[in-house]
Amino acid sequence: MASFIIRVWTLVAFVCLNLSLVKADTPTLEAITAKLEGGRACCTALDFFLPKKVFTKLHPAYGISQLSFWSAQEQSLKPACILIPETQEDVQLAVTVLNIGVKAGISSCKFAVRGAGHTPTAGAANIEDGVTIDMQKMNDVVIDAGNKAITFGPGNRWGNIFPKLDDQDLAMVGGRVSTVGTAGLITGGGVSFFSGRKGFVADNIKSATLVLANSTVVTASATSNSDLYRAIKGGTNNFGIITSFTADIFEQQKFWGGEVVQPITNKDKLIEYLVSSFTSETFDPYAALITDLIWVSGIPAVIHQLAYTDGSKSWPPPAFKPLVELPTLASTVRKSHLSDFTTEIAAAAVVTEDKNNLLVTLTFANKGEVSVNFMKEVYELADKTVKSLLSVLTLNFIMTFQPLPHALYTKGAENGNGANVLGLERFDEDLFNLLFTLSWPLALDNAKVEAAMKELEQKIKKLSQTMGVDNEFVYLNYAAGWQNPLASYGQENVNFLKSVANKYDPSGLFQTGVPGGFKLSNL
C-alpha cells in the first residue's frame, strides 16, 4: 500500500504541475494500476489524497448527499463512496486517480458527477458501487456589476443565485425553479422566464472552466476553445467536469408573475389561446408561460405559471389578457423579484421530492387549427393514460405545454456568445414543448408507469406525424432515460459533438468511466 501511495502521489504532482500528460502505457502508470485492487480501491486512494472529503455509507454526509437527490430512483443507487470537493484542485486530483482506476478496468472506479441532482433517471448523476462526485459545496457566487457578469460554481441551485442579483436589481437568464441546479440546466440548454428576450440559458453563458480527463484545466469561451464552448451548451456531461460558469447579467426591476388556477372546462379555449398567441408574429418577448394540466387522483385541473418581465406595464398586458379573462379559481399574480416566483414554483413541486419521478417530452409544430385539434387529441390520450394508472397510489400526473416560437429559440444568436449545439437553427417554424411529469411513492409501480408512458409517447408521436405537426427535437432536460435527445440535434451536430469529445477526451473517460446521462458513445 505504501508503494501505491507514493507512486500515485508522484503521478498527481506530475500532472498538477503540468510537466507532462500521463500516457496509459507508461511503466509508472502500469505499476500504479497494478496496485489498484479490491472493491474500494479508488475510494481508499481518494480518501488518502482528499482527507475529510470522501464519505462512505456510515457517515452522515453520505446520507445527506443521497437524500438531496430529487428522485427516489437516484436515491436508490448506493455509491461505494461520495466525494465532496471544495476546490478546482480537488476535482483535478480526483479525476487523476479515477482515470487511472478506469483505465485499469476497475469497475468501482467508475464515477458520476452531480450538482443539485434534479434529473430523475437512476444513474444520471449517481452510481451503484462507484464514486459519486457531489459538487454542491462548489457554490461560490461573484457578481461583477460593472462588467455585467456573474461567476458561479456548478454546485449552485438557482435559489442561491437569484436573491443576490435581486438585491441589486439585476437578473440573469436562469432557471424557473429555485431548487433546480445550475450545471445540469445549462448544459442541457435551459429555458428561462427571460428566454423570449434573450434565448436559452446556455446562450447567455460567457465562459466555463472545465477539468478535462487528463486533469488539466481549460477555459471554454467564444475566443478560447470555442468548439468546446459550443459543445457544452447542450452537450451535457460528455466532455469534462465544469468547475465554474460566467454568465451575462442585466438590469431588471420587479416584474409581473405568479400562479393562475383555472377549471378544466377552460381547456378548449385555452388551447386556442396558446396556438394563436404564441406565434412569431404575435409573440410578446416579455411574456413567459408554463401551462400545466394536472390530474390528482384522476381529477384534472389547469395551473399556469406565468411571468411578464416588463414591470413598467400595467396588468394584464395584451399577451395575457385573453388568458386571465377565462374563468379563474385562484391567482397569486403580483409584481415581485425573480427569486420570489422561482420559490413559489419550487414550493408547489415539493410534493414530488423523494418520490419516484419520471419526465417524458416531445416537440410539435404550431400550425394553427391543425395544432389546436392535435392538442385536444393529446389531452384525450393523456386522460386515458391517467385512467389506466388509477391503481398507482397517489399518482400525480402533469401534462405541460410550453410555447417555443421561432422568435424565441433563435434569440440566442443575437447576444454575441455564439451558437449552441441544440440544432434548432435548422427549423423555421413555431414550436411547442410537451412535457409529462409523473410522481408516485412506491417503486413497485415503476415498471407499470414507465410502460404506460412509453405507450403514450408512441401514440402521440404517431399522431403528430399523421397530422403533420411532428418535430424531432427532444429537449434534453426533460427527456426520459429511454429517449435520445442528442440524436435529435441532427447528424451534423452529433458529428460535431463526437469530434469535440474525441479532441478533449481521446481516451473516452467521460463516455465509459462516467456511464450516466446521455452519452455520445451510444449514438
Side-chain angles (χ1 to χ4, degrees), residues 210-487:
L210 295 87
V211 174
L212 301 180
N214 61 18
S215 302
T216 59
V217 176
V218 297
T219 297
S221 69
T223 56
S224 177
N225 301 302
S226 58
D227 51 354
L228 180 61
Y229 172 61
R230 181 184 170 212
I232 63 173
K233 295 189 288 184
T236 190
N237 67 346
N238 283 287
F239 312 100
I241 299 178
I242 295 175
T243 55
S244 72
F245 295 97
T246 297
D248 293 320
I249 56 176
F250 50 91
E251 294 182 2
Q252 179 66 49
Q253 302 294 323
K254 290 181 178 181
F255 58 90
W256 295 103
E259 182 177 278
V260 176
V261 183
Q262 296 180 329
I264 195 63
T265 50
N266 287 3
K267 172 177 62 68
D268 289 352
K269 289 184 178 180
L270 170 61
I271 289 173
E272 293 167 3
Y273 160 77
L274 289 171
V275 169
S276 63
S277 297
F278 289 91
T279 68
S280 289
E281 291 75 21
T282 60
F283 177 58
D284 184 336
Y286 290 91
L289 180 63
I290 306 168
T291 293
D292 294 331
L293 285 78
I294 297 177
W295 286 260
V296 179
S297 299
I299 307 300
V302 179
I303 300 178
H304 307 282
Q305 305 288 346
L306 54 81
Y308 194 79
T309 61
D310 184 355
S312 69
K313 304 294 185 181
S314 59
W315 183 261
F320 286 133
K321 192 171 187 292
L323 175 65
V324 299
E325 287 180 343
L326 293 174
T328 296
L329 302 175
S331 173
T332 66
V333 173
R334 73 276 188 196
K335 193 182 288 188
S336 189
H337 281 300
L338 175 61
S339 59
D340 184 25
F341 301 126
T342 62
T343 299
E344 179 179 46
I345 297 176
V350 72
V351 295
T352 66
E353 292 181 4
D354 305 321
K355 299 292 196 304
N356 295 284
N357 293 309
L358 176 64
L359 304 178
V360 184
T361 189
L362 299 96
T363 305
F364 63 92
N366 184 349
K367 294 188 176 181
E369 190 64 26
V370 176
S371 294
V372 168
N373 293 330
F374 170 74
M375 293 164 76
K376 290 178 181 178
E377 291 198 40
V378 168
Y379 173 85
E380 296 301 328
L381 290 172
D383 191 57
K384 289 179 182 178
T385 300
V386 173
K387 288 179 171 62
S388 75
L389 294 172
L390 286 177
S391 63
V392 178
L393 183 68
T394 61
L395 172 71
N396 285 328
F397 187 107
I398 304 173
M399 179 172 70
T400 304
F401 292 116
Q402 296 183 72
L404 283 177
H406 184 265
L408 183 155
Y409 66 75
T410 56
K411 184 67 68 174
E414 301 173 8
N415 63 18
N417 288 330
N420 60 50
V421 77
L422 301 175
L424 287 166
E425 70 280 349
R426 69 192 193 276
F427 304 126
D428 59 5
E429 56 193 359
D430 298 320
L431 304 173
F432 275 99
N433 173 261
L434 174 61
L435 166 65
F436 293 95
T437 306
L438 285 77
S439 296
W440 64 99
L442 300 179
L444 59 86
D445 289 320
N446 289 12
K448 181 176 184 179
V449 173
E450 289 187 10
M453 291 309 297
K454 285 180 181 179
E455 182 179 356
L456 178 60
E457 176 201 17
Q458 292 169 0
K459 287 179 178 178
I460 294 173
K461 193 70 175 176
K462 183 177 180 180
L463 179 66
S464 70
Q465 293 168 345
T466 300
M467 297 185 72
V469 297
D470 183 55
N471 184 278
E472 67 181 296
F473 179 68
V474 177
Y475 178 44
L476 187 145
N477 287 336
Y478 294 164
W482 68 76
Q483 295 186 291
N484 201 343
L486 294 178

